[in-house]
Amino acid sequence: MREIVGRDLTLVEGLFVKEAFGRLLFDREEVSEAIYDASVIASVYDWTLEGICSYFSILSPSCWPVTADLRTLTQHHKKTVLPEWLDDHGLMEILESGKAPKRTEEKLATQLIFETYLALISALQRGELIVKGRDRALADAHVVPASYWCSELSYVSWRRNELLRIDGDQRQVLAEDLTMFVAQSSKTKPDSKGRFVEAEVIRFLEALGDQPRSKKAYVRKDVLQHFPGVSGRQFDRLWGDYAPQSFKQAGRIPSK
């Protein structure tokens, strides 16, 4: 499962948890494209954020567990068959089985959706992200303890923006008005491997394809100047992997 990196952390600052989840889904090209492809093939499903968050309606409307793994989430989520779908072409399989046939596009989109959710929960469990909420109405917001994100009894309620404790028929609101923040340690150091800075350098190198060809030495100087923390060795590796092929060709560069 791909973890949330520094660039992604900044996307969710100050957002409600549901909004943060939606931002991570639809701002990632691979996820949004997969959701679009699935919406074309499995058009009877609601692939909006509201529709996605309505999974697990049998357990509890719009409530997602925080400790499940990808396989469990994929196997146990259910999508309600609405009456207005029954006139659509080719839905006999839905009537017979209660769910749409598993198509490649639907599988990929569902997998990426749950991977994104689990990455968000993982960031909360590691302390890279924190959530502030109220334990009762009109109370001051406080940091939700990290232990809540590791409990098998904890569920995120997208509909009410709450963190719940569900134990059988017993329900308790642990925190409401959930708002996401980047932990201070993550703000000052996006991650220990410098993936945030590397991602910026990669985008810079890939964008060179739209510019006139330039010498590696000039590009190297520019990168080291504008991206503090990147070493010469890192640059050489990223240059080899991501610089446009035309920039790496041997021979004299024509004068401008």
Side-chain angles (χ1 to χ4, degrees), residues 44-45 79-101:
V44 294
Y45 290 154
K79 298 178 180 180
T80 304
V81 179
L82 301 177
E84 55 264 32
W85 297 352
L86 303 183
D87 294 332
D88 288 358
H89 176 68
L91 293 185
M92 288 306 297
E93 292 182 68
I94 292 181
L95 295 175
E96 294 171 358
S97 66
K99 59 182 180 180

Side-chain angles (χ1 to χ4, degrees), residues 26-47:
F26 297 109
D27 273 29
R28 288 183 172 183
E29 288 188 9
E30 63 173 328
V31 183
S32 61
E33 288 177 0
I35 290 173
Y36 174 78
D37 291 342
S39 69
V40 173
I41 300 299
S43 58
V44 294
Y45 290 154
D46 180 2
W47 291 94

Side-chain angles (χ1 to χ4, degrees), residues 139-207:
D140 292 334
H142 61 273
V143 176
V144 176
S147 59
Y148 287 177
W149 303 107
C150 303
S151 171
E152 63 182 13
L153 301 178
S154 293
Y155 291 79
V156 175
S157 173
W158 301 119
R159 181 174 298 172
R160 299 179 62 88
N161 193 35
E162 295 174 338
L163 185 65
L164 304 176
R165 185 181 190 274
I166 301 178
D167 187 2
D169 295 330
Q170 301 297 316
R171 296 185 179 212
Q172 176 189 1
V173 177
L174 300 175
E176 58 186 23
D177 297 330
L178 305 177
T179 306
M180 191 81 66
F181 296 94
V182 179
Q184 290 298 322
S185 58
S186 297
K187 289 179 181 178
T188 57
K189 187 178 180 181
D191 75 28
S192 60
K193 297 180 180 178
R195 288 178 292 179
F196 171 58
V197 177
E198 284 203 358
E200 295 294 327
V201 174
I202 289 171
R203 283 194 287 273
F204 177 87
L205 293 175
E206 290 177 338

Side-chain angles (χ1 to χ4, degrees), residues 8-56:
D8 301 318
L9 291 175
T10 62
L11 294 175
V12 304
E13 178 77 22
L15 299 180
F16 289 141
V17 172
K18 180 179 178 179
E19 295 171 342
F21 178 51
R23 178 70 62 83
L24 292 176
L25 281 179
F26 297 109
D27 273 29
R28 288 183 172 183
E29 288 188 9
E30 63 173 328
V31 183
S32 61
E33 288 177 0
I35 290 173
Y36 174 78
D37 291 342
S39 69
V40 173
I41 300 299
S43 58
V44 294
Y45 290 154
D46 180 2
W47 291 94
T48 65
L49 181 60
E50 288 294 332
I52 290 169
C53 287
S54 68
Y55 291 168
F56 309 109

Side-chain angles (χ1 to χ4, degrees), residues 222-233:
D222 201 11
V223 167
L224 297 184
Q225 179 181 351
H226 288 90
F227 298 96
V230 175
S231 67
R233 180 174 297 181

